[in-house]
Amino acid sequence: MDHEHTAHAHTGHTAAAQPGATWAVAVQATLHCLTGCAIGEVLGMVIGTALGWGNLPTTILAIVLAFVFGYSLTLRGALKGGLDFPAAVRVALAADTLSIAVMELIDNGVIVLWPDAMDAELADLLFWASLAISLAIAFVVTVPVNKWMIGRGKGHAVVHQHHAH
């Protein structure tokens, strides 16, 4: 674990300091974002659907929770890296806002445009298939965004500046 962790941390620092970030670092940052987004999306949709809410309030809850969980994962790492809470919040906001926003826009856009996906119930294959495929499409679109941001010292490059060794 130590060797792998050190190699990842070193790669992140190197990519952030150079003009161009690697695709591997961008993929790693986007996977991190995808994890938080997916947890929030699924939880929001499950809660909204289980409570019988309509599409709009359920979607809003899912988006809010995607941001909450996305920021929380980065916040946890920044706090472990030794930052105080206000500094960790600033790092999380700087690192994840654009990434989560792009992921949510694409993910929810695909769901809205997918025939019958908005009306699918939790027990329907369509619910889970459309969610999984929309998140996969969002991931593919968000990787280049993260690569661009990291290459400019923004996004997850900010997290790597405060990464615990």
Side-chain angles (χ1 to χ4, degrees):
M1 181 201 117
D2 285 337
H3 175 64
E4 239 180 285
H5 183 274
T6 304
H8 168 71
H10 182 322
T11 302
H13 288 288
T14 303
Q18 294 178 354
T22 66
W23 284 105
V25 171
V27 165
Q28 191 66 34
T30 308
L31 283 171
H32 178 268
C33 176
L34 178 68
T35 302
C37 286
I39 292 168
E41 283 278 326
V42 171
L43 190 58
M45 289 186 179
V46 167
I47 291 169
T49 303
L51 294 176
W53 290 4
N55 289 336
L56 185 60
T58 299
T59 301
I60 290 169
L61 178 63
I63 292 169
V64 167
L65 290 177
F67 274 92
V68 167
F69 280 94
Y71 287 140
S72 295
L73 293 175
T74 299
L75 188 61
R76 187 176 133 247
L79 290 169
K80 284 173 86 175
L83 294 180
D84 63 16
F85 189 77
V89 167
R90 285 192 299 276
V91 165
L93 291 173
D96 291 335
T97 300
L98 183 60
S99 183
I100 296 171
V102 169
M103 190 159 286
E104 286 303 296
L105 180 68
I106 301 302
D107 169 48
N108 286 288
V110 169
I111 298 275
V112 166
L113 295 174
W114 191 309
D116 301 321
M118 291 295 290
D119 298 318
E121 299 291 325
L122 294 176
D124 297 339
L125 176 61
L126 178 60
F127 177 91
W128 297 103
S130 63
L131 181 59
I133 291 168
S134 69
L135 285 168
I137 293 168
F139 174 82
V140 170
V141 172
T142 307
V143 169
V145 171
N146 280 328
K147 184 177 187 302
W148 178 80
M149 288 177 23
I150 293 165
R152 281 149 187 76
K154 309 231 182 285
H156 271 260
V158 176
V159 174
H160 287 291
Q161 294 167 8
H162 302 286
H163 197 277
H165 285 96

